[in-house]
Amino acid sequence: MWFFARDPVRDFPFELSPEPPEGGPPGPWTLHRGRKKATGSAVSIFVYDVKAGAEEQTQVAKAAFKRLKTLRHPNILAYIDGLETEKCLHIVTEAVTPLGTYLKTRAEAGGLKEQELSWGLHQIVKALSFLVNDCNLIHNNVCMAAVFVDRAGEWKLGGLDYMYSAQGNGGGPPSKGIPELEQYDPPELADHSSRAVKEKWSADMWRLGCLIWEVFNGSLPRAAALRNPGKIPKSLVTHYCELVGANPKVRPNPARFLQNCRAPGGFMSNRFVETNLFLEEIQIKEPAEKQKFFQELSKSLDSFPEDFCRHKVLPQLLTAFEFGNAGAVVLTPLFKVGKFLSAEEYQQKIIPVVVKMFSSTDRAMRIRLLQQMEQFIQYLDEPTVNTQIFPHVVHGFLDTNPAIREQTVKSMLLLAPKLNETNLNVELMKHFARLQAKDDQGPIRCNTTVCLGKIGSYLSATTRHRVLTSAFSRATKDPFAPSRVAGVLGFAATHNLYSVDDCAHKILPVLCGLTVDPEKSVRDQAFKTIRSFLSKLESVSEDPTQLAEVEKDVHAASSPGAGGAAASWAGWAVTGVSSLTSKLIRAHPTPMPSEITVTQRPVPEGDAAPPAPAPDTPTTSSHWETQEEDKDTAEDSTTADRWDDEDWGSLEEAESVLAQQDDWSVKGPGSRAGQVSHSDHRPLESDWNSWEAEGSWDQGWQEPSSVEPPPEGTRPASEYNWGGAEPSDKGDPFAALSVRSSAQPRPDPDSWGEDSWEGVEAESRQMKAELARKKREERRREMEAKRAEKKATKGPMKLGARKLD
């Protein structure tokens, strides 16, 4: 039987890359790129070929193999595996690049920043301190060729070939025999007399000075060049001169050198070094320290190297969320780092964490996710959105915190294109109907209307026909003036989704009623939109052949291309009125009058009306839009990262303070018609089993309410000077309307009065219920009368008697 010897190189679990070697330290070692056969992960492989007649070099190489295998430190080259045969030595380490090659590559791309160099040198000095102070070992080979850089930009100390013990065990330092390495030897080594007094670290610290000179100035031509610091930073020159001093006794210990450089104003005293040091010790930090660190981290990430963010910061962020209960504070830096990832890396590393975060009940985390959704929405596929994200997001519509409800509405702009038929046309519309009809915050009702206008093009034709007209008509009845403006602009943004008949019979009657709205911004938008619809009808009237072209989108399944147009029509509303709900989570929830558009409701006769300040200029829609956008932009910039500073437990107190004020106007000495408080609202309903429920879109606005004749002396609207200023002796053209409204009976506290959203359908339901009750009562009386008549005719039957026909 024959036995064949196995080839150890072939069985080795790592293989060399076919690319040429990258070089390596001066000497017999060559550095190759490689990979692990099982996983394909990248590694570096140092190869030494055993040659005849080079026994001394072979012994040095084997000593380096043994040292690297036994030494473990974050700043020393990490050993993974090794192979020793009669022909070669293989040392497998983490994937690294020689420092000289790394600096040259980065110089072509603009060069390394000073903070990166400071951290790299910090790591090398820390490795030397570990060897000298903890292991009593002298490296004896500190130079540019002995330093390597990993993929995160971390500097690693290698080149352990000539290491020896500081205690003298095993003899003195091994002979190098390589001129390129001997030029880094300190001058005292040339003095063979015993008079030279030195410390065990003196030689390595001299070589560290040579390394610092090479990092900033390039290759060291000769030892005399060390006298000129060259490009070495001024904050480092003093400490550098201590390293290359002729007296070895005054060269500092590596630990003291670090301490000197870390002093305030020192070369290694900067945010980048502090961040790295915290990340190295993050496992032993207190939770409060971690929270503060992650809150401040996002501000610094823009100035940090991209590789450092991807390969060092990101793993720590993921670990902190997965095992450290860091919570919402990791979101902002996490998404910042995510910008450096490819689409594939984002899917593998960020998306699983995001999906898990949506299932959290932490309000701070939920609102941060909603605010920053645009940063990761493009990486989410439709099945993930519909099955793992949307079911959790919809809970925000029922949240008691107004800020959560508002951000949930805004997030639908990004989620709508990825929602399936059921979630978009049934589930989402059910929640939108509830918010628009019953939410006690005017800005949220306004934003719901705006969002519906933006996503209207994604709805099915049936849903559009059933929902849009009723929803925007309801918005025009809202007591909150911006909501009425949003309803008008909603009609304008989705004008291509209505048939000509709907424009003439359903939409224009609603818009015409707004031409006498008390708010000028509402009237202005109503006139613009009316002219747009009239132009559309007129074009069809002049040329009936255009009807098909005008109605081409009415019955289309969906027209995502129109979403952009809708967004541009109503883009102002989401940011223009969002300041109110964000104020509710602050310590002072009182809204400023200048930040909320207040609709003055009619004042009943006999009540004193507070004087309303007359604005210097009319409040047009464009003025309102610009003013609100500017306010919201300023507010967002100051509150974007303050969610964790707020006391979420005090929200109920803030809402109670707001409830003591008037929701729609500033509270005065006398009560006003239309005044609503939190206690006046009906309880919120969570059961939405059918569209016939209260607040449904189908409860139509098609039946016009009865119109009273105008009071005597009221001029038609065409006689007023709409474009210019009215003379001071003429009153407000809508004053008569206010007088007429104030003469009406005071509305019931449980209703919205004359401006009720329920309108005709509420009255119709009451009439039907009353009619049904009367019918039941009549039927009951009839049955009782028949029973009494039957009993009186036949009389009582005796016990045991048979009933005869």
Side-chain angles (χ1 to χ4, degrees):
M1 180 179 294
W2 294 90
F3 293 94
F4 296 93
R6 300 179 62 182
D7 185 359
V9 176
R10 181 178 299 176
D11 295 337
F12 195 50
F14 299 89
E15 62 180 1
L16 297 177
S17 170
E19 301 177 3
E22 294 184 296
W29 293 99
T30 56
L31 175 59
H32 298 260
R33 292 182 182 179
R35 68 179 186 90
K36 190 173 183 178
K37 295 178 181 179
T39 62
S41 56
V43 295
S44 289
I45 303 178
F46 292 83
V47 180
Y48 171 74
D49 294 325
V50 178
K51 298 178 182 178
E55 288 78 7
E56 186 176 355
Q57 282 191 349
T58 301
Q59 292 302 319
V60 170
K62 289 184 178 180
F65 187 108
K66 180 180 178 181
R67 292 289 189 188
L68 192 61
K69 188 175 182 179
T70 55
L71 284 173
R72 296 288 181 176
H73 189 269
N75 304 127
I76 293 179
L77 199 58
Y79 173 89
I80 297 178
D81 202 349
L83 174 67
E84 182 177 354
T85 67
E86 296 179 355
K87 296 182 179 180
C88 65
L89 293 175
H90 285 191
I91 300 178
V92 182
T93 68
E94 56 186 321
V96 291
T97 303
L99 178 60
T101 305
Y102 179 77
L103 292 177
K104 183 178 179 181
T105 304
R106 290 297 301 270
E108 295 173 355
L112 285 174
K113 298 180 180 179
E114 187 174 301
Q115 63 180 6
E116 298 177 65
L117 295 174
S118 67
W119 173 242
L121 291 173
H122 184 285
Q123 293 176 296
I124 299 303
V125 179
K126 197 170 182 180
L128 287 176
S129 178
F130 166 73
L131 293 175
V132 172
N133 298 318
D134 298 335
C135 304
N136 277 318
L137 294 173
I138 306 301
H139 187 275
N140 196 35
N141 191 27
V142 179
C143 61
M144 181 82 75
V147 180
F148 302 88
V149 184
D150 67 5
R151 61 178 185 171
E154 304 276 275
W155 292 18
K156 308 286 185 175
L157 183 61
L160 308 183
D161 305 59
Y162 308 104
M163 183 178 291
Y164 65 97
S165 174
Q167 298 174 342
N169 301 332
S175 175
K176 298 179 181 177
I178 302 175
E180 292 87 347
L181 298 179
E182 290 179 350
Q183 69 172 343
Y184 299 107
D185 290 340
E188 61 267 17
L189 291 184
D191 184 7
H192 299 285
S193 64
S194 59
R195 290 177 300 176
V197 179
K198 57 183 179 180
E199 302 288 352
K200 59 182 178 180
W201 57 78
S202 297
D204 276 349
M205 296 308 285
W206 170 277
R207 297 184 180 99
L208 175 64
C210 298
L211 173 64
I212 292 175
W213 195 95
E214 288 190 318
V215 166
F216 291 99
N217 299 296
S219 299
L220 180 66
R222 57 189 179 277
L226 296 173
R227 298 175 182 175
N228 181 16
K231 299 179 181 179
I232 297 177
K234 292 182 179 180
S235 57
L236 183 59
V237 168
T238 303
H239 308 298
Y240 160 78
C241 292
E242 292 178 354
L243 299 179
V244 294
N247 185 359
K249 186 69 176 177
V250 299
R251 293 174 197 156
N253 185 287
R256 187 167 69 86
F257 179 81
L258 278 181
Q259 185 179 356
N260 294 338
C261 292
R262 289 277 296 129
F267 177 68
M268 298 180 184
S269 177
N270 55 63
R271 178 62 180 168
F272 187 62
V273 173
E274 292 171 358
T275 300
N276 278 280
L277 292 176
F278 191 95
L279 289 175
E280 289 183 350
E281 302 173 353
I282 194 171
Q283 304 300 333
I284 60 174
K285 296 293 184 180
E286 295 294 330
E289 294 178 306
K290 294 180 183 180
Q291 291 277 332
K292 182 180 179 181
F293 171 76
F294 287 124
Q295 286 175 356
E296 298 175 351
L297 178 61
S298 59
K299 303 176 184 177
S300 307
L301 288 177
D302 294 331
S303 61
F304 288 173
E306 179 179 330
D307 291 338
F308 168 77
C309 294
R310 292 173 56 194
H311 301 297
K312 188 166 184 179
V313 175
L314 179 59
Q316 292 290 351
L317 291 173
L318 298 177
T319 303
F321 171 75
E322 193 74 21
F323 305 107
N325 298 323
V329 291
V330 304
L331 286 178
T332 301
L334 181 66
F335 291 136
K336 268 198 172 183
V337 175
K339 296 177 181 179
F340 301 129
L341 303 179
S342 63
E344 184 179 355
E345 290 177 317
Y346 205 103
Q347 286 283 351
Q348 294 175 353
K349 298 179 179 181
I350 305 294
I351 293 303
V353 176
V354 169
V355 172
K356 186 176 180 179
M357 286 179 176
F358 270 106
S359 61
S360 172
T361 56
D362 183 9
R363 276 177 166 173
M365 179 175 294
R366 174 67 58 83
I367 202 164
R368 281 184 181 269
L369 282 171
L370 296 176
Q371 286 175 328
Q372 303 183 52
M373 185 177 289
E374 61 182 354
Q375 299 188 31
F376 58 84
I377 187 65
Q378 67 269 26
Y379 301 104
L380 297 174
D381 54 23
E382 294 186 8
T384 302
V385 171
N386 285 282
T387 59
Q388 301 182 55
I389 292 182
F390 183 76
H392 296 294
V393 172
V394 293
H395 293 309
F397 291 122
L398 304 174
D399 201 284
T400 57
N401 189 317
I404 297 287
R405 299 200 302 272
E406 182 185 45
Q407 290 297 333
T408 304
V409 170
K410 292 182 180 181
S411 69
M412 292 302 111
L413 302 178
L414 301 171
L415 291 178
K418 297 179 180 288
L419 295 180
N420 57 29
E421 178 77 14
T422 302
N423 286 337
L424 178 61
N425 294 287
V426 179
E427 188 70 17
L428 181 58
M429 293 300 102
K430 180 172 62 177
H431 287 288
F432 271 20
R434 177 185 170 278
L435 285 176
Q436 196 195 39
K438 297 186 175 182
D439 199 280
D440 57 357
Q441 299 297 327
I444 295 180
R445 298 196 302 272
C446 176
N447 288 342
T448 303
T449 304
V450 171
C451 184
L452 184 62
K454 289 188 174 186
I455 69 174
S457 58
Y458 298 106
L459 303 175
S460 65
T462 304
T463 304
R464 291 198 304 262
H465 180 73
R466 187 181 75 248
V467 169
L468 294 184
T469 305
S470 297
F472 296 142
S473 298
R474 172 184 294 154
T476 62
K477 305 288 184 179
D478 198 306
F480 192 57
S483 292
R484 301 199 294 275
V485 175
V488 175
L489 292 181
F491 278 126
T494 55
H495 66 94
N496 60 313
L497 304 179
Y498 306 110
S499 65
V500 173
D501 288 341
D502 285 346
C503 293
H505 298 112
K506 296 181 180 180
I507 298 175
L508 282 174
V510 174
L511 295 175
C512 289
L514 296 175
T515 57
V516 291
D517 192 273
E519 289 290 333
K520 190 176 187 303
S521 60
V522 180
R523 301 196 299 267
D524 290 343
Q525 294 297 340
F527 281 119
K528 292 178 182 178
T529 308
I530 288 172
R531 284 193 289 267
S532 174
F533 277 101
L534 287 177
S535 176
K536 177 179 178 179
L537 296 177
E538 187 177 359
S539 64
V540 175
S541 176
E542 295 292 336
D543 185 4
T545 59
Q546 295 185 10
L547 180 61
E549 177 67 19
V550 170
E551 295 185 349
K552 65 179 181 179
D553 295 331
V554 174
H555 301 291
S558 65
S559 51
S568 63
W569 269 88
W572 52 268
V574 171
T575 58
V577 295
S578 60
S579 58
L580 175 62
T581 50
S582 62
K583 290 179 181 296
L584 293 177
I585 62 169
R586 298 185 181 180
H588 305 285
T590 306
M592 299 300 295
S594 60
E595 293 179 300
I596 304 176
T597 304
V598 180
T599 303
Q600 294 289 340
R601 308 305 302 157
V603 181
E605 293 181 357
D607 288 353
D616 297 334
T617 57
T619 308
T620 61
S621 61
S622 60
H623 174 75
W624 183 82
E625 170 185 350
T626 305
Q627 184 182 25
E628 293 294 340
E629 283 186 348
D630 291 342
K631 291 179 183 295
D632 188 70
T633 302
E635 186 155 356
D636 287 345
S637 64
T638 58
T639 61
D641 293 321
R642 293 180 52 196
W643 293 107
D644 300 303
D645 300 334
E646 307 297 342
D647 182 10
W648 291 92
S650 63
L651 180 64
E652 290 76 8
E653 179 182 353
E655 290 180 346
S656 65
V657 174
L658 186 67
Q660 295 174 6
Q661 305 169 356
D662 191 12
D663 281 358
W664 314 118
S665 58
V666 182
K667 195 168 185 178
S671 59
R672 298 183 178 93
Q675 179 178 353
V676 182
S677 66
H678 286 261
S679 60
D680 296 330
H681 289 296
R682 289 166 291 182
L684 299 177
E685 298 178 11
S686 58
D687 184 16
W688 287 85
N689 296 325
S690 67
W691 283 98
E692 285 72 22
E694 184 176 0
S696 169
W697 307 104
D698 294 332
Q699 305 297 333
W701 295 93
Q702 288 79 10
E703 299 180 15
S705 57
S706 58
V707 181
E708 298 183 6
E712 249 182 77
T714 303
R715 293 182 294 166
S718 59
E719 294 184 13
Y720 293 102
N721 179 17
W722 295 95
E726 285 285 342
S728 58
D729 56 343
K730 295 184 180 180
D732 183 3
F734 297 97
L737 298 178
S738 299
V739 173
R740 182 182 63 184
S741 300
S742 62
Q744 299 298 324
R746 187 182 183 90
D748 185 77
D750 293 330
S751 70
W752 289 102
E754 193 173 285
D755 288 323
S756 173
W757 300 337
E758 310 297 340
V760 179
E761 69 268 27
E763 183 179 352
S764 176
R765 286 197 300 271
Q766 294 175 357
M767 294 176 61
K768 290 180 180 179
E770 182 67 19
L771 184 60
R773 188 186 63 79
K774 290 181 179 180
K775 287 183 178 180
R776 288 195 300 271
E777 186 67 22
E778 292 178 1
R779 178 64 177 169
R780 185 181 62 80
R781 287 197 294 268
E782 289 178 3
M783 294 297 295
E784 289 179 353
K786 288 182 179 180
R787 291 194 193 98
E789 182 180 358
K790 187 175 181 180
K791 186 181 295 185
T793 302
K794 296 185 177 181
M797 298 181 62
K798 293 183 179 180
L799 185 64
R802 291 184 61 187
K803 181 179 179 181
L804 301 177
D805 295 336

